């Protein structure tokens, strides 16, 4: 049997792999991409996209309630989970087909198989046993939910993967974790009518985010009826006639219909054959790469969540694109991982970029803080008890806005635009020079005049 040869073999057709394959194909490379599950990867199939659809669904509950304040009379709204899941599945299938069509347009061959590395230039397709010779290999296998310690009853736990395809909406759900996924799914299930408890091992949710954001979001989630238990973990789970009984580390216990763990994700490296090619991992078990996504083996690269950089879809896409331009396009490009805007699709939403107040005070000699809390205009007439929060972190010496933190409706949309200003190194004076758009929430960004706090770091020694 003659061995097929390609210029690029991509393992994994998620966001990073697909972008790299397409761009390399457009640069004229012969590209093969192997995918063992569905084209589109975590983001399209079991992450960002289906999650956001469920977020949209969950927000109608408030809309129906608020409509009354604006004079509408509605009959009792009824929610049907299977309809939502069917429609969500139809949309992910449509996007998967679009991804496939785009790959084919770039003349990329898609193979439906797990692929493992057998040697520096050899990849085996597990489905057929065929060995493909590749001039370059790109590993873009992403990450997978990690369930933590092997506690009793862990087999009953679901992750975000299963949460998106449950047969029915759980009446009571316990979510363990305090990161992106935990707070987003807490909002989804709460909005759709489940009784939600979130249990987190630390002091407050969203570790790493600005402390004011963490406090504000926690308060808003609590007001919505989400029970947040901190400094606790789930120690054991028992299946009973009444549901799943969770035993907590404080010796309390409670019963739920579903228990979901959102306790982080681990890079998908197991069984890939990395040792056969000599690809090295870092201390966290992710593939070690340089600024060009190159591994310890010069012709093998890795992008996205399988590396330990910033686990976000747009970052994986940028890394995949930069890799393809560098290796096949004759343009050496290193991705800039600084000042990445990000949104948490909790309820209310969070949008952030740049330094938190604590980081700024640690790194900068002078820091000015501007912040405001207010009731969104729409909520006032609807008599909804909710508040939005805006904060700017400013370098007191250069006047540069080094951080922006928003909690409130459309925070994700706003932070994308603030991101342009921050990347352009805009100063607070630049923000102030912009005329407000009235009446909007975003106008707060250009109308905060009073410093909430000012810090000057004591000179060392
Ligand atoms: P995160 O790392 O954000 O959060 C994991 C949470 O689980 C943390 O609160 C962590 O606590 C806690 N935890 C970890 N291990 C244990 C354990 N053994 N027992 C109890 N608690 C534990 O991971 P997620 O799973 O929420 O999301 C993974 C990544 O995916 C995110 O970091 C983000 O990069 C990306 N993502 C982005 C989204 C977006 O852009 N909107 C949406 C969803 C995911 P501690 O804080 O103490 O470490």
């Amino acid at each position: 049997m003659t061995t097929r040869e390609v210029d690029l073999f991509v393992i994994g057709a998620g966001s990073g792999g697909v972008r790299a394959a397409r761009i390399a194909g457009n640069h004229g490379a012969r590209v093969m991409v192997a995918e063992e599950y569905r084209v589109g990867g975590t983001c399209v199939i079991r992450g960002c996209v289906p999650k956001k659809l469920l977020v949209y669904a969950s927000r109608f509950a408030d809309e129906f309630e608020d409509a009354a304040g604006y004079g509408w009379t509605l009959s009792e709204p009824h929610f049907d989970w299977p309809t939502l899941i069917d429609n969500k599945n139809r949309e992910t299938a449509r996007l998967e087909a679009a991804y496939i069509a785009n790959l084919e347009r770039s003349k990329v061959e898609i193979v439906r198989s797990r692929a493992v590395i057998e040697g520096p230039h050899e990849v085996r397709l597990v489905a057929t046993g065929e060995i493909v010779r590749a001039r370059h290999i790109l590993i873009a296998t992403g990450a997978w939910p990690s369930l933590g310690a092997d506690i009793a009853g862990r087999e009953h736990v679901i992750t975000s993967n299963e949460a998106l395809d449950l047969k029915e909406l759980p009446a009571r759900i316990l979510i363990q974790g305090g990161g992106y996924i935990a707070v987003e799914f807490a909002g989804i299930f709460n909005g759709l009518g489940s009784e939600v408890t979130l249990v987190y091992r630390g002091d407050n949710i969203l570790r790493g985010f600005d402390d004011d954001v963490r406090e504000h979001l926690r308060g808003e989630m609590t007001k919505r009826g989400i029970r947040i238990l901190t400094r606790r973990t789930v120690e054991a789970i028992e299946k009973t006639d009444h549901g799943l009984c969770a035993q907590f580390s404080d010796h309390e216990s409670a019963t739920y219909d579903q228990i979901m763990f959102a306790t982080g994700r681990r890079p998908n490296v197991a069984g890939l054959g990395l040792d056969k090619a000599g690809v090295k991992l870092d201390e966290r078990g992710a593939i070690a790469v340089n600024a060009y996504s190159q591994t310890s083996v010069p012709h093998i690269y890795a992008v996205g969540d399988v590396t330990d950089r910033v686990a976000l879809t747009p970052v994986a896409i940028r890394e995949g694109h930069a890799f393809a331009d560098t290796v096949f396009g004759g343009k050496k490009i290193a991705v800039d991982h600084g000042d990445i805007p990000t949104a948490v699709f909790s309820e209310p939403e969070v949008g952030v970029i740049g330094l938190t107040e604590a980081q700024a005070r640690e790194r900068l000699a002078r820091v000015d803080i501007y912040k405001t809390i207010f009731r969104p205009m729409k909520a006032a007439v609807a008599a909804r008890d909710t508040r939005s929060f805006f904060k700017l972190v400013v370098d007191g010496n250069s006047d540069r806005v080094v951080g922006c933190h928003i909690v409130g409706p459309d925070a994700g949309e706003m932070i994308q635009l603030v991101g342009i200003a921050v990347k352009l190194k805009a100063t607070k004076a630049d923000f102030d020079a912009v005329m407000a758009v009235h009446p909007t929430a975003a106008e707060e960004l250009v109308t905060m005049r009073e410093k909430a706090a000012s810090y000057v770091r004591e000179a060392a020694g």
Side-chain angles (χ1 to χ4, degrees):
M1 182 165 88
T2 53
T3 310
R4 281 196 284 174
E5 288 196 6
V6 294
D7 298 315
L8 173 64
F9 193 103
V10 181
I11 308 179
S15 301
V18 166
R19 174 60 68 94
R22 282 180 47 210
I23 302 302
N26 294 347
H27 285 311
R30 289 167 303 162
V31 185
M32 190 181 279
V33 55
E35 172 56 55
E36 63 182 337
Y37 184 53
R38 290 175 60 185
V39 173
T42 297
C43 177
V44 174
I45 308 298
R46 50 180 129 69
C48 328
V49 171
K51 178 275 310 286
K52 185 89 188 267
L53 297 177
L54 267 57
V55 167
Y56 283 133
S58 70
R59 289 179 177 167
F60 280 100
D62 282 10
E63 295 291 325
F64 294 137
E65 271 180 31
D66 292 354
Y70 286 89
W72 290 90
T73 307
L74 301 172
S75 54
E76 189 64 30
H78 170 76
F79 171 68
D80 185 55
W81 173 264
T83 302
L84 170 63
I85 298 305
D86 282 352
N87 290 344
K88 178 267 291 177
N89 289 343
R90 198 165 309 123
E91 178 59 8
T92 52
R94 186 186 71 76
L95 289 171
E96 181 180 12
Y99 267 58
I100 292 170
N102 283 338
L103 283 167
E104 289 172 348
R105 215 168 292 132
S106 299
K107 306 213 171 0
V108 173
E109 182 175 352
I110 307 167
V111 283
R112 303 299 191 134
S113 171
R114 181 170 173 77
V116 292
I117 296 172
E118 292 291 347
H121 288 279
E122 289 77 35
V123 182
R124 178 167 54 89
L125 303 178
V126 174
T128 58
E130 183 187 358
I131 301 280
V132 178
R133 267 193 69 78
R135 214 151 58 80
H136 295 276
I137 297 170
L138 177 70
I139 304 164
T141 47
W144 197 251
S146 145
L147 293 179
D150 190 12
I151 58 167
R154 200 179 71 166
E155 66 278 12
H156 302 304
V157 161
I158 60 166
T159 68
S160 53
N161 292 348
E162 294 77 33
L164 291 163
D165 277 310
L166 290 173
K167 292 275 170 288
E168 54 188 44
L169 179 70
R172 302 159 301 177
I173 185 165
L174 171 70
I175 301 176
Q176 170 153 257
Y180 280 82
I181 297 180
V183 300
E184 289 183 344
F185 276 84
I188 289 170
F189 284 114
N190 170 258
L192 295 178
S194 305
E195 195 183 293
V196 180
T197 305
L198 185 149
V199 57
Y200 173 53
R201 64 182 177 182
D203 286 340
N204 202 357
I205 55 171
L206 290 184
R207 184 169 63 83
F209 284 69
D210 187 272
D211 286 337
D212 281 335
V213 167
R214 300 169 74 193
E215 206 47 48
H216 189 84
L217 181 65
R218 182 179 181 169
E220 289 291 320
M221 287 173 70
T222 304
K223 273 197 270 181
R224 302 181 65 78
I226 297 170
R227 204 165 157 238
I228 300 182
L229 310 174
T230 51
R231 295 190 204 90
R232 261 161 283 195
T233 54
V234 178
E235 300 249 293
I237 296 162
E238 193 190 345
K239 193 168 185 158
T240 70
D241 290 345
H242 307 289
L244 298 171
C245 178
Q247 178 82 53
F248 296 106
S249 50
D250 61 357
H251 307 299
E252 293 288 315
S253 63
T255 298
Y256 305 91
D257 301 298
Q258 293 288 353
I259 298 179
M260 172 177 161
F261 279 12
T263 45
R265 296 169 65 85
R266 298 264 170 281
N268 270 328
V269 291
L272 269 182
L274 299 179
D275 47 331
K276 293 197 175 141
V279 174
K280 293 206 169 60
L281 301 182
D282 63 20
E283 62 283 355
R284 291 168 56 93
I287 296 181
V289 288
N290 66 14
Y292 300 98
S293 299
Q294 193 175 31
T295 71
S296 52
V297 181
H299 64 275
I300 302 183
Y301 290 73
V303 294
D305 292 5
V306 77
T307 66
D308 183 23
R309 290 179 281 183
V310 183
L312 296 170
T313 295
V315 176
I317 291 172
R318 277 284 168 98
E319 290 167 356
H321 201 129
F323 150 78
D325 280 345
T326 300
V327 176
F328 299 101
K331 270 186 289 180
K332 210 169 172 194
I333 297 173
V335 172
D336 171 7
H337 289 93
D339 286 334
I340 296 173
T342 179
V344 185
F345 294 100
S346 46
E347 188 54 46
E349 210 163 286
V350 173
V352 305
I353 186 168
L355 302 182
T356 64
E357 177 177 331
Q359 288 168 337
R361 288 177 62 183
E362 214 177 276
R363 296 178 201 180
L364 305 173
R366 296 171 66 95
V367 177
D368 295 331
I369 301 296
Y370 297 81
K371 56 185 175 183
T372 178
I373 293 182
F374 61 97
R375 192 182 210 185
M377 191 176 178
K378 190 175 165 201
V381 172
R384 175 169 296 284
D385 179 16
T386 183
R387 298 287 182 278
S388 290
F389 173 78
F390 282 63
K391 178 173 188 172
L392 291 178
V393 180
V394 177
D395 180 335
N397 278 337
S398 64
D399 197 37
R400 214 193 122 193
V401 175
V402 291
C404 177
H405 308 268
I406 304 173
V407 186
D410 303 318
E413 302 291 339
M414 285 186 258
I415 209 69
Q416 179 69 82
L417 302 177
V418 173
I420 300 171
V422 171
K423 284 303 257 187
L424 284 169
K425 302 192 180 347
T427 61
K428 178 69 170 60
D430 293 327
F431 273 59
D432 294 348
V434 179
M435 201 68 85
V437 178
H438 186 71
T440 63
E443 66 183 304
E444 299 295 332
L445 290 165
V446 298
T447 54
M448 284 189 274
R449 293 287 188 271
E450 298 290 317
K451 285 179 199 166
S454 224
Y455 303 96
V456 180
R457 203 171 48 198
E458 305 266 319

